[in-house]
Amino acid sequence: MVSVMLGYVGIVMAMVFFGSNFVIVKKFDSGDGVFFQLWMCMGIWTVGLVVNLIQGSPKFWPLAMAGGALWATGNVLCVYVIQQIGMGLGLVIWGSMAMLVGWFTGFFGLFGLQKDELAVVWLNVLGLGFALASLLTSFKVKVTHQPTEQDPNSNNGEGFVVLPGSEQDSEAKLASVQGEYNNFGHVVTGPSQLTSPFSDDNNNPPHSSNNDANGAKANKLWGIVCALCAGFFFGNNFDPPTYIQQHNCDQDNKCLEEYRGASSDPLDYVFAHFCGILLMAMFIFFAYCIVKRNNPWVSPQICLPAYLSGMMWALGQVGWFMANASLGYTVAFPLAVIGPGIIGSMWSVFVFKEIRGLRNYLLLGGVFGFAICTAVCIVMSKH
């Protein structure tokens, strides 16, 4: 069993790598996000292969791939969500949903998993509340994007998170503090694409500001629904490998004969999980190419940055695997969800100088304060 201290090391890994993995792609146009996701997932798979070799090539459990497929599906939904309701609101919805789903799964033992053991239950619940408050407060912090050097092949030089033509174009220029450094390292779309990645440009006219109010409300509703679905997938993406670990007939674990003798080491499931991510990303890209009539958005400039970003994200996910096994979902999910936003906001303040003004600093202080209260309550509730 992974030691408790190693579990907190995993939380730190998740915070640092999820909060920093998009720094290296910040200045590159990622188009509508689908091609970017494919290369990012190839980087993820590479880290999984290395972990698999380090672990001595343990038995491959296909069920663990389902968790990776869930993550990749949620990840591509984020592209549509950002276009319909904006990054700030989308992040709060899918981040909160993922955290609540993961927390409830561990607290009540849902989906056949074991209930987490907590020393002080009310402190853990209070910590969850502080985590939600931190997410909601972060939505109010605005980022001022600096003009960047324009790519001659792109339509404009607005930066990384702008979605021109969408209803949130103006909002994107003042995105939330976690806009670019979103909590799970999800796909963040760039400035060149005006339409949804799965729309057929030949049959669908560009978005018009004269759309009736009912159409706009419907789009927003679908955006919220997709954000909830993405959060649900993110919150459940660890369940398949955890289910195998907890049903291996080892010590106090439940016993299913098909999983008898399965490893209790969470790192033994990383490769299968990441294989599921890559296979689903490939399937999504092939479907995208069909919808686009073999005319997908691609860019050679984004390949290496996306690949490296994926490797960084994978290291964060490896840390989260360790934290889940050692600390349980009720501790790992709140800390791993809010932590990366803190790291990302530090990049915005001290390196990119994108967060300015007394109001923003005060709000950011509130985000940090709620995050600290979350960490204190969650850690104390476990021990």
Side-chain angles (χ1 to χ4, degrees):
M1 192 60 142
V2 182
S3 69
V4 172
M5 185 58 66
L6 200 56
Y8 287 115
V9 170
I11 290 293
V12 173
M13 288 175 60
M15 291 174 56
V16 172
F17 288 112
F18 286 162
S20 304
N21 73 307
F22 273 113
V23 172
I24 58 177
V25 296
K26 177 178 169 60
K27 301 301 181 182
F28 295 91
D29 182 6
S30 59
D32 56 22
V34 181
F35 181 71
F36 174 88
Q37 176 180 258
L38 179 63
W39 276 90
M40 179 181 176
C41 291
M42 285 191 278
I44 292 170
W45 183 85
T46 302
V47 172
L49 178 61
V50 173
V51 171
N52 188 63
L53 294 175
I54 292 174
Q55 292 294 108
S57 299
K59 183 175 180 179
F60 188 96
W61 295 93
L63 178 62
M65 297 173 63
L70 285 174
W71 181 87
T73 304
N75 199 39
V76 80
L77 282 176
C78 291
V79 178
Y80 176 79
V81 171
I82 293 168
Q83 188 177 50
Q84 299 304 323
I85 62 175
M87 170 64 83
L89 180 58
L91 173 63
V92 170
I93 293 175
W94 76 57
S96 300
M97 184 66 173
M99 182 168 59
L100 288 172
V101 169
W103 186 88
F104 273 98
T105 299
F107 191 82
F108 293 104
L110 305 180
F111 309 114
L113 302 185
Q114 297 175 6
K115 292 177 60 175
D116 290 348
E117 295 182 3
L118 296 169
V120 187
V121 174
W122 69 268
L123 267 179
N124 190 270
V125 176
L126 182 62
L128 178 70
F130 280 130
L132 288 171
S134 180
L135 280 176
L136 292 171
T137 305
S138 71
F139 176 58
K140 297 296 184 179
V141 182
K142 303 301 181 181
V143 173
T144 303
H145 294 281
Q146 297 296 324
T148 60
E149 183 176 353
Q150 184 170 346
D151 187 327
N153 296 320
S154 68
N155 293 333
N156 62 46
E158 292 288 349
F160 187 57
V161 188
V162 184
L163 290 167
S166 72
E167 295 175 4
Q168 285 72 35
D169 184 22
S170 60
E171 176 189 1
K173 295 177 183 178
L174 291 174
S176 75
V177 62
Q178 293 172 325
E180 293 182 4
Y181 311 105
N182 113 40
N183 288 52
F184 311 105
H186 302 140
V187 166
V188 182
T189 56
S192 68
Q193 292 300 98
L194 306 184
T195 60
S196 170
F198 288 96
S199 65
D200 185 346
D201 296 335
N202 295 323
N203 296 329
N204 294 301
H207 173 77
S208 172
S209 59
N210 295 323
N211 280 352
D212 56 74
N214 290 334
K217 290 180 179 179
N219 288 339
K220 184 173 184 179
L221 177 62
W222 276 111
I224 293 173
V225 169
C226 287
L228 291 171
C229 290
F232 183 80
F233 292 150
F234 293 141
N236 285 308
N237 85 98
F238 291 105
D239 291 354
T242 303
Y243 185 87
I244 299 172
Q245 294 174 66
Q246 294 183 357
H247 290 77
N248 64 356
C249 309
D250 182 36
Q251 297 179 0
D252 296 331
N253 288 345
K254 297 178 182 178
C255 187
L256 282 180
E257 286 301 322
E258 58 187 308
Y259 301 126
R260 179 181 290 276
S263 173
S264 295
D265 187 343
L267 298 184
D268 288 343
Y269 301 91
V270 167
F271 181 60
H273 186 80
F274 289 0
C275 282
I277 288 177
L278 180 58
L279 287 177
M280 181 55 73
M282 293 173 64
F283 174 80
I284 291 170
F285 185 74
F286 292 151
Y288 165 70
C289 289
I290 293 173
V291 172
K292 289 294 186 178
R293 299 184 178 183
N294 200 32
N295 187 32
W297 186 96
V298 297
S299 170
Q301 286 79 21
I302 198 61
C303 295
L304 181 59
Y307 185 85
L308 295 176
S309 176
M311 295 182 73
M312 293 179 66
W313 180 91
L315 292 173
Q317 188 79 340
V318 168
W320 202 340
F321 263 98
M322 296 190 303
N324 284 341
S326 175
L327 307 174
Y329 284 18
T330 52
V331 174
F333 264 84
L335 297 180
V337 168
I338 65 168
I342 301 301
I343 301 298
S345 64
M346 292 174 68
W347 281 103
S348 276
V349 171
F350 298 112
V351 178
F352 301 114
K353 311 294 185 183
E354 294 170 329
I355 297 178
R356 298 190 293 270
L358 179 60
R359 176 182 178 275
N360 281 331
Y361 289 145
L362 291 175
L363 286 170
L364 193 58
V367 173
F368 281 26
F370 284 130
I372 292 172
C373 291
T374 298
V376 171
C377 290
I378 292 292
V379 171
M380 291 181 64
S381 73
K382 185 67 176 179
H383 310 291

